[in-house]
Structure formats: structure tokens, C-alpha cells
Amino acid sequence: MEQRLRSETKALLEQGKVDCIVGFAPGSLKFTTTPLITREIDDIDRLIISPFMVNNLAVYLTELKGRVGIVVKGCDSRSVVSLIQDNKVARENVVIIGIPCPGMIDLGKIEALVGRERDELDDIVRNGDKVQVTVDGQAREFPASQVLFDNCLGCELPTPEEYDILLGEPASQVADQATSHAAISKLKEKTPQERWQFWQEQFSHCIRCYACRNVCPACFCQRCFVEESEPQWLLPVPLWQDNLFFQVTRNIHVAGRCTDCGNCEQACPVGIPLRSLTREMYDIVGDLFHFKSGIDKEAPPLMTHYEQEEAESLFR
Ligand code: SF4
Ligand code: SF4
Ligand code: SF4
């Protein structure tokens, strides 16, 4: 698949069908990848396909000029479609190179299972529904369901449906909705007061680095409300109340656009379980409006139109 990725992207650049390619290259740390954005044919051999391609590369589309060839997993392709729905990206300006996605490996889960830091691991190899981890020369095998990201275990469309080139057959999925929703279910067992305390505690750790916003393709406002000075919605110091307000507002802004790619939670340097907010909103949007983000590029975006029979008279 990697060879085909390189030959297809090379041909796109050589034939002038795209101005640049956005894909994944090996990261500087073990078991990581890094986004590669290039116009150079010589760079194409650095493109890889790996079980550690966590970034949602659709985030770059609103910044890049010209025609872009972009490598996408299922959730990323939905983000591209969502950007097309919002008129942020023109379909004719993207060549979508789809990767049928078997789910990405959560290094944090592997570290917890083997009791070792990632630098101490010799190798991690995915074989179908098993993942083999080698430490000190000893191989141990785990079911993939134990080591994939929670969002991957609840993924609804791992194989991109919108693409120009699909690299391979639809992926066989390792699904486990109970594990995927475990953190949310645990929160729902709490009383409202306990939940309030939980989020107060979590957001007292937030350093307002905005990594969660910056990695998110659905957060595309040219000027984010947090940067407004008139009115000033948030104080510059990261008080927990303002941090919570930021995240609740962000969650409403991405409702109907979030594809549960999990990047915001994965990017958070202090480990705030942001997906418990975003996935819950994703499910609420599905239940209330029967709307799935990034499925139909012709459909109007969720939050920008209303129906004649809208229940709230305010909207009529
Ligand atoms: S959410 Fe789905 S498409 Fe996205 S990385 Fe996980 S399994 Fe792949
Ligand atoms: S990534 Fe985490 S610490 Fe940074 S602003 Fe978002 S919630 Fe706060
Ligand atoms: S809110 Fe988080 S999970 Fe949703 S699209 Fe943005 S980065 Fe992905």
C-alpha cells in the first residue's frame, strides 16, 4: 500500500494535477508520525502508512493554496467533506487519497499494559486483530481491541467514502462500542454535582495552550472568539471557569462538524478527557437531528439552515 501511495502521489505531482501533497512521514520519536506537506517529488519517498498516523490532516486544507493531494483515513475524509459542506474547501481543489483504516494504536494503552515507557519498547507490529509488542527481546501479543484508541473502537466509517484514489480494500474493523464509550458512561453514572466537580478538577489543569483547537479541522474560524477583545470572552489567565467555558463553546461550534477523530484529546498535553465532551455531542447530534458529520458533501451543514416545521417558534 505504501508503494502505491508513493507512486500515485508522485504521478499527481509530475502530471501537475496537484500543487502539493499532504501525508505522513516518520516522526522524530519512536512510534510516531509527523505531517509532511511538500511540493517536491524527492520528498515523496518519505511518505509512509503506519498504525501511528494520529493527525487529522484535513486541518491544513483551509491554509493551503492551490490544488492539494491529501492522504486521509475514514474520519479525516469526513472532515474534508465537512469542510466542503461549509464552503471552506472546493471539491475540485482536492485530490483525496483514501486509506482504508484498521484503527490507530494508542501508545498510552500499550505503556500501561506492558508497564514500560515507549522509549523502552523495541517494536510494535500490527497483525490483523492482534498487536505484537516486543520489550527486552520478548514478544507479547494483545488483541487490537485492547490497544486501539477509544475513538477508533467506536468508528463508524473507517474506510473513506469520498475519495479520488482508494489505496486498498475496505478495512476490517475492530469495534468495541462499550470500551469506546466507557469514559462517557462512567461520567453519566455520576450525579450532576459530581460531574461538575469532575470537570472543575479537569479544567483546573488546562494551560490554555489551544492545541485542542489548533489540531481540529472543524475549528476553522479566522478569528476565534477566545482572541476577541471587544467583548473579551475569556481572561488571559487560565482560570478553570474560563477554561471550561472555552471548551463548552468550542464543543457547540464543532457540533455537526466533529467526526470523532479524537485529535483534540490526543493533543492535550495535560490529558483532559475532551472526547467525553465531543463524542457525547456527536451522539446527541445524531440522536436529535439524525445528522452525521461529513457524510454527504451536498447536504447543508447542520447549524446553518432550519426547516419550516422546526419545533422552536424562534426559528420559524
Ligand atoms: S476514527 Fe476510524 S478512520 Fe479515524 S483513525 Fe480511528 S479507525 Fe481510523
Ligand atoms: S489542549 Fe488541553 S490544555 Fe491545551 S487548551 Fe486544550 S484543554 Fe487546555
Ligand atoms: S472536536 Fe476533536 S474529535 Fe472532533 S473533529 Fe475536532 S479534533 Fe476531531
Side-chain angles (χ1 to χ4, degrees):
M1 208 193 285
E2 210 165 69
Q3 283 313 318
R4 178 148 178 238
L5 168 66
R6 291 174 184 169
S7 62
E8 297 277 7
T9 47
K10 223 173 245 180
L12 288 172
L13 278 176
E14 277 169 353
Q15 294 162 15
K17 290 183 176 165
V18 296
D19 298 297
C20 72
I21 294 289
V22 183
F24 295 92
S28 53
L29 301 173
K30 259 174 148 179
F31 313 119
T32 62
T33 60
T34 188
L36 174 69
I37 302 175
T38 185
R39 296 173 190 273
E40 307 298 329
I41 288 172
D42 288 350
D43 276 342
I44 291 301
D45 286 338
R46 292 171 57 207
L47 286 176
I48 56 165
I49 294 177
S50 118
F52 304 105
M53 303 184 300
V54 292
N55 296 72
N56 184 337
L57 300 179
V59 73
Y60 297 110
L61 283 182
T62 48
E63 303 291 330
L64 289 167
K65 303 252 181 304
R67 210 152 184 253
V68 179
I70 183 167
V71 178
V72 293
K73 313 179 293 290
C75 52
D76 319 337
S77 82
R78 291 177 63 186
S79 294
V80 176
V81 169
S82 186
L83 289 167
I84 294 169
Q85 287 177 301
D86 276 313
N87 284 329
K88 300 304 290 181
V89 170
R91 180 65 182 90
E92 61 273 20
N93 283 344
V94 274
V95 175
I96 302 173
I97 304 151
I99 296 179
C101 176
M104 295 295 123
I105 293 177
D106 182 344
L107 272 174
K109 287 188 182 178
I110 291 195
E111 286 176 331
L113 278 168
V114 300
R116 302 290 279 271
E117 301 274 323
R118 61 192 71 191
D119 286 344
E120 300 171 284
L121 309 178
D122 301 331
D123 205 4
I124 301 173
V125 180
R126 174 88 186 260
N127 289 316
D129 60 359
K130 298 268 188 295
V131 173
Q132 185 174 292
V133 183
T134 309
V135 194
D136 298 334
Q138 302 286 316
R140 289 174 67 184
E141 206 167 64
F142 299 98
S145 57
Q146 278 187 21
V147 298
L148 296 186
F149 280 105
D150 286 353
N151 63 306
C152 294
L153 295 173
C155 179
E156 293 181 312
L157 281 176
T159 300
E161 295 210 330
E162 180 75 25
Y163 59 82
D164 298 291
I165 299 164
L166 187 65
L167 302 174
E169 297 298 312
S172 65
Q173 200 188 356
V174 178
D176 181 347
Q177 291 296 341
T179 304
S180 181
H181 283 77
I184 298 171
S185 306
K186 219 168 140 192
L187 271 172
K188 284 185 174 170
E189 285 164 12
K190 293 182 189 286
T191 64
Q193 288 77 13
E194 287 169 338
R195 273 205 294 276
W196 183 245
Q197 271 170 5
F198 173 85
W199 286 117
Q200 177 173 340
E201 156 70 11
Q202 291 296 328
F203 283 107
S204 65
H205 302 305
C206 170
I207 54 173
R208 205 94 63 71
C209 63
Y210 297 129
C212 50
R213 177 196 66 177
N214 297 349
V215 295
C216 175
C219 269
F220 53 65
C221 293
Q222 277 190 334
R223 190 173 171 88
C224 177
F225 78 100
V226 302
E227 279 138 18
E228 293 286 349
S229 52
E230 284 185 26
Q232 186 174 34
W233 297 96
L234 303 180
L235 290 175
V237 279
L239 302 174
W240 75 264
Q241 294 93 331
D242 282 10
N243 300 341
L244 175 63
F245 175 67
F246 158 55
Q247 212 54 244
V248 168
T249 310
R250 194 183 87 81
N251 206 19
I252 293 168
H253 285 186
V254 300
R257 298 185 170 98
C258 170
T259 59
D260 194 27
C261 72
N263 268 213
C264 46
E265 178 170 304
Q266 291 151 18
C268 180
V270 293
I272 299 175
L274 298 173
R275 184 173 173 265
S276 294
L277 296 172
T278 55
R279 176 67 201 214
E280 178 65 0
M281 181 63 92
Y282 176 98
D283 288 335
I284 289 171
V285 163
D287 292 346
L288 282 183
F289 300 103
H290 311 292
F291 186 92
K292 296 280 179 201
S293 318
I295 301 290
D296 177 2
K297 62 180 185 297
E298 308 298 340
L302 177 70
M303 294 297 184
T304 57
H305 78 293
Y306 65 92
E307 305 289 341
Q308 279 296 319
E309 58 275 15
E310 203 74 61
E312 299 287 333
S313 59
L314 166 73
F315 293 108
R316 273 189 246 137

